[in-house]
Amino acid sequence: SSRHDKRTRLATPALHKIRNFPTCAATPARSLLVPRSPSSPRSGSLGTKTMLGRTLREVSAALKHGQITPTELCQKCLSLIKKTKFLNAYITVSEEVALKQAEESEKRYKKGHSLGDLDGIPIAVKDNFSTSGIETTCASNMLKGYVPPYNATVVQKLLDQGALLIGKTNLDEFAMGSGSTDGVFGPVKNPWSYSKQYKEKRKQKHQAENEDSNWVITGGSSGGSAAAVSAFTCFAALGSDTGGSTRNPAAHCGLVGLKPSYGLVSRHGLIPLVNSMDVPGILTRCVDDAAIVLGVLAGHDPKDSTTIQDPIKPFILPNLTNVSKLCIGIPKEYLAPELSSEVRSLWSKAADLFESQGARVIEVSLPHTSYSIVCYHVLCTSEVASNMARFDGLEYGHRCDIDVSTEAMYAATRREGFNDVVRGRILSGNFFLLKENYENYFVKAQKVRRLIANDFMNVFNSGVDVLLTPTTLSEAVPYMEFIKEDNRTRSAQDDIFTQAVNMAGLPAVNVPMALSSQGLPIGLQFIGRAFCDQQLLTVAKWFEKQVQFPVIQLQELTDDYSSIFENEKLASSCIIRNQNNFMLYSVHSLITSELVDSIETLIIT
Amino acid sequence: MLVLVCPQVLNRRCVEAAVMTGLALNCRINKRSLFDRKHYFYADLPAGYQITQQRVPIAVDGSLAYSVCVGAKQSGVITKTVKIKQIQLEQDSGKSLHDDLRAQTLIDLNRAGVGLLEVVLEPDMSCGEEAAAAVRELQLILQALGTSQANMAEGQLRVDANISVHHPGEPLGVRTEVKNLNSAKFLAKAIDYEIQRQINELMNGGEVLNETRSFDYKLGLQRFMPEPNLPPLLLYDSASLPASADPQQVINIDRIREQLPELPSVTREKLIQQYGMLPEHSFALLNEVGLLEFFQNVIKETRAEPRMVTSWVLNTFLGSLKQRNLAVSESPITPSALAELLDLLDGKAISSAAARQVFEELWQSEGKTPAQIVSEKQLELMQDREALEQLCRATLEAHPHTVMDVKKGNPRAVNKLIGLARKATLNRADPRLIKEILEKQLSS
């Protein structure tokens, strides 16, 4: 068509424009979307080496075409897990299980009937999902050594698709935290701490610093899953999201972090934090990957009464070419005073981007936002107190040696089994549930929760399709900085933009947008209508395509990474991988429609 | 270590049983009911809380009609009604076994999580006997519905009794609770004992303390919260049932109502109407598992009068079972055998004494029919009047002293002669006929 032609013509100059930004060291534009020919030699390790950075669909195609075998892929991931052990992303690496699954997958591929897009693909699972025969600890002394006899429904669904369960990832104890710093197995380190991007910025600013103390947190509580995906040790990971536990580490680790609608994905086998808010989350390197995994996980589970009965269609995301029919809401209450100027500026640029592409971008109000975090605190701790009641030393998990009385045994067991954070939440939750406090706290919080949910409903009923907000106040902070405040303070700060969504049961996704001046990822959050996950992801995919978030540069960490990036692209939808953050460097040159057009055109080409 | 399973889902059969029980107890079924968690520090529930229905239970505002026997020989029957506050669905807890000697508690979790129906009665009963009768009726209803086998000794039906005393016209007194009563008989005893104890306490100037003070203390620590894993339970009737609803996913109250079996009160009324039975007999027939069915099978096969069948089933048959500690289902005597025996008796082929003898024989000689036993033992009734007259005359001649007594006006002497004459017939004569012949011979 003529429109197509016009775009093609625009392509080259626009590309130059990106390249010519002052400090921008551009990625060499390589041949993109060139399918590897099935006949190309797969000899040596070239095939395996270049696989890890691919999208799910690409690696799945490579498996189908025999360019790599599931076993090779699995071994490659396992080797990378070993080399990045210092990240502390994994609590358990299920090497044997994964290799055995890979072997079976290989047989299927040889016979020509793979089970689907995930067959033979290594996936990690947060260590609060029950996994049959594999220890499930919740990063707590209480559950150390606990080996479930069954798989969580989401785990089973992944395995039924042939996915390889490569390991169980680290988290804050019982998923209570926003740093992945408060688990019994120690903190998770953000792979971006070791990226070229971060190190260079760091060197410029703090030359005398000891590199070892510079590492930044992943965010949490699904930090292990985020680090695992971010460091290319697996293709996707399950997190859980109660108040932001998937989106927060996704934002800090430069990943797509999806919290599906409450009720879309089964919680059966997810060791509960807050039943009425918990949702299995999905961490991937691009939106399409998240959609594929969601398609596998979504649907009614007879073992979870809170899952919807409606049949689920696969989540196939169209390539939006036109956003002019979209209405994007910008909730004014999310302009928190603590919001870093960088995040604020990116948020505003993102809004401008939509507007410049013809979308209607309007300011909206969610008037009860300021009560949200307190309300969340009451409801969360109350359910925590309830859910943790089962860990009394008798039925599950750890039991202390004290046996002078049942009460003494309970007390000592729980003191030894839980960390301060968990015990603190249990204590406050039980306080809120006391008969004399119930009305004043729990019931009131429930009413506020309803008001918060109504706020969202009103906005969506007024014609807004998707809300655009920050995911976090700022980029990830160094661990030494993070632990200066206690877990409760940190959670209150870090969940500020994310937990209201959980109380309303809505789908939300973090999409990484750009790097901060520190060289660390910043993501934005899109919030959709309940059960309109597909629409939400479609918008997220469009945005992802526009912003061209840079690939993490880990070459210095181990040689393996050089091969990942060499001759490699990372997401089919992200054609240009600009190592630098063009958005930040183009402060005065807003993304023009011309530029955006050019990016799209490249994709069409 | 147990398996961590969360969340849990509702068992459809439990909901159906609750609806059925609610309907049988004249309750209003809540089309929307809610589940709550009740937390307490006791290790008899693996989750650390019990799922129950504290706020909105599945059924409310019902009634249970029951009857108590009155009169000197407990022959009269009065029907009373106790209001039902609510019926709620719960999870059963585990069973704690306290070993005081070793100072340890063992917990049997086998029944933990099993569906439990709690029926809450209003304080409408005034003595142990009434409570026992009400519980007994409830038990029969649950058994008829198939909701529960309701065996108290096995804990399938458990009763907690709250007891208080007060003067007429005054508000209810301070109550105490007696828990874990495992038979209706003990329930009645415990209640009456507690009533007397409270009265004595108050008469002596004391006061009734809430005996389960620890229970009150526990109440303070009991914390409730809506159960987040179970959405509100929605029930439908034929009018409100959405057309698109998957029958596997919804429960139609009207369908359950249609499927309600006959309740014991209706069965008893039918017995009274159909067979002219005394009310207390209708109770007795229903009180023993399987006895009604046995009775009905006998009635079907015999020509004997229902009154006679009732008497034989309730007195002779049930008495023999009790003596041998057997259940109806364990009886070696089949309904057909008893029917045949009653036919022989009804047709005057044998005397009732002979019938009882045959009945006893039936316990010993399985497989033999009553007719076979009658013929083997030569128990047929002597119908030959001449032969009987001869025997009677011989009896009179052999016992002149007794005859003298009769003539002196001693009425017991006649009975003695009747007995002697019957003995001479080897119990094969109708005693009324013997009496008639003897009286005739004595007066001639």
Side-chain angles (χ1 to χ4, degrees), chain B residues 84-114:
Chain B
I84 288 164
K85 186 170 185 270
Q86 66 185 56
I87 297 176
Q88 66 209 38
L89 272 171
E90 298 187 344
Q91 287 178 305
D92 203 352
S93 59
K95 202 156 102 186
S96 304
L97 303 160
H98 302 285
D99 181 349
D100 289 336
L101 210 62
R102 292 187 191 83
Q104 60 180 9
T105 300
L106 302 167
I107 299 160
D108 178 356
L109 287 174
N110 280 308
R111 68 174 199 201
V114 169

Side-chain angles (χ1 to χ4, degrees), chain A residues 36 45-53 76 80 555 558-569:
Chain A
R36 279 162 185 79
S45 57
L46 186 72
T48 29
K49 276 193 172 178
T50 56
M51 286 293 160
L52 291 186
K76 190 67 205 159
L80 211 48
Q555 285 93 330
T558 133
D559 285 347
D560 300 61
Y561 285 116
S562 312
S563 58
I564 292 176
F565 305 117
E566 175 197 323
N567 209 8
E568 186 66 30
K569 66 186 165 45

